Amino acid sequence: MTNRLLSLLAITLISMQSIALAHFTMTYPSSRGFDALKEPLAPCGGYDTPSAERIQMPLKSSFIQIDSGHTAYTFVVYALLKNDPVNPDFIPTNLVQVAQGGRSYPEGACLPLTFSESVQPNTNVTLQVVYNGGDGLLYQCVDALLVDSAPSFDASKCVNSNGNKDATPSGDAPASTNTPSQGSSLHIAYSLTFIVAVCISFLLV
Ligand SMILES: *[C@@H]1O[C@H](CO)[C@@H](O)[C@H](O)[C@H]1NC(C)=O
Ligand SMILES: [Cu+2]
């Protein structure tokens, strides 16, 4: 009986850690890489090497689309205008803030980016999203080429799961306070993992 309780406790703790790790993903453009365990690691969630291929992003009406596991969070997006940045390059003097805000609904959110007028077309940039869902800062990066016109950049990916067109690159209306429609699929997935883990622990002991 004691053994069963101990193993149950252990598995519960491991699973709780997984639940806490249901953070956020960068869905468009794709980030350098995602690993839930490494996402708390600055500057890029454990992915320290710039991508071999850079996505073209427009200087105007640009955005990053994320999928949030947390219902409420704040975020900051920084631009690092350097060709081949290494970790020590991610310091405040090199980082230019291009977005900042918060959302009060889970899942899809479109984060509009505002680049300074002084940024020239055909500039390489690494964008760093710093996300705070309440369980520590989380990091994701994408390596891009900023251009005047980016036909390959899919503007239709900018979607807010609260159903509103708020905070999109074209119309910068203040975020609405609509009720979120549903919970996060990420969190649901981790909760299911937890339940399965508990069941398995009972079967094993
Ligand atoms: C941007 O970076 C790529 C490598 O990712 C490099 O080949 C290219 O020359 C750089 N462009 C500029 C304008 O420096
Ligand atoms: Cu989290």
Side-chain angles (χ1 to χ4, degrees):
M1 188 59 187
T2 313
N3 276 350
R4 173 180 288 196
L5 281 176
L6 278 177
S7 73
L8 189 62
L9 182 68
I11 287 167
T12 305
L13 286 173
I14 291 163
S15 305
M16 276 170 67
Q17 200 181 0
S18 297
I19 290 168
L21 284 168
H23 301 313
F24 88 104
T25 54
M26 192 191 286
T27 49
Y28 191 79
S30 300
S31 67
R32 282 183 182 180
F34 171 78
D35 180 337
L37 289 169
K38 291 182 183 163
E39 208 174 21
L41 297 177
C44 292
Y47 291 83
D48 298 338
T49 314
S51 308
E53 258 188 62
R54 290 172 174 274
I55 182 167
Q56 297 203 359
M57 292 177 74
L59 274 162
K60 296 213 163 68
S61 299
S62 224
F63 63 87
I64 283 173
Q65 177 74 18
I66 66 165
D67 184 10
S68 175
H70 291 270
T71 304
Y73 56 93
T74 57
F75 63 88
V76 185
V77 183
Y78 295 102
L80 176 55
L81 298 157
K82 199 165 187 296
N83 273 348
D84 236 341
V86 290
N87 285 1
D89 291 321
F90 289 81
I91 50 172
T93 47
N94 290 344
L95 298 171
V96 182
Q97 189 179 299
V98 290
Q100 182 194 20
R103 299 288 185 268
S104 51
Y105 53 88
E107 301 186 322
C110 180
L111 316 181
L113 310 178
T114 309
F115 293 102
S116 153
E117 300 275 325
S118 63
V119 179
Q120 297 298 309
N122 297 312
T123 303
N124 280 333
V125 68
T126 298
L127 297 168
Q128 178 197 42
V129 179
V130 184
Y131 169 105
N132 186 353
D135 55 2
L137 297 181
L138 304 167
Y139 301 88
Q140 287 280 277
C141 294
V142 60
D143 302 289
L145 175 67
L146 295 173
V147 290
D148 265 335
S149 163
S152 55
F153 190 74
D154 186 355
S156 74
K157 302 277 190 193
C158 173
V159 178
N160 293 299
S161 73
N162 66 346
N164 285 345
K165 297 260 182 243
D166 62 339
T168 55
S170 38
D172 257 340
S176 93
T177 51
N178 275 16
T179 322
S181 53
Q182 52 196 230
S184 143
S185 50
L186 262 180
H187 277 140
I188 289 167
Y190 278 113
S191 302
L192 281 175
T193 310
F194 165 67
I195 291 162
V196 169
V198 171
C199 293
I200 289 170
S201 81
F202 268 109
L203 290 174
L204 285 178
V205 178

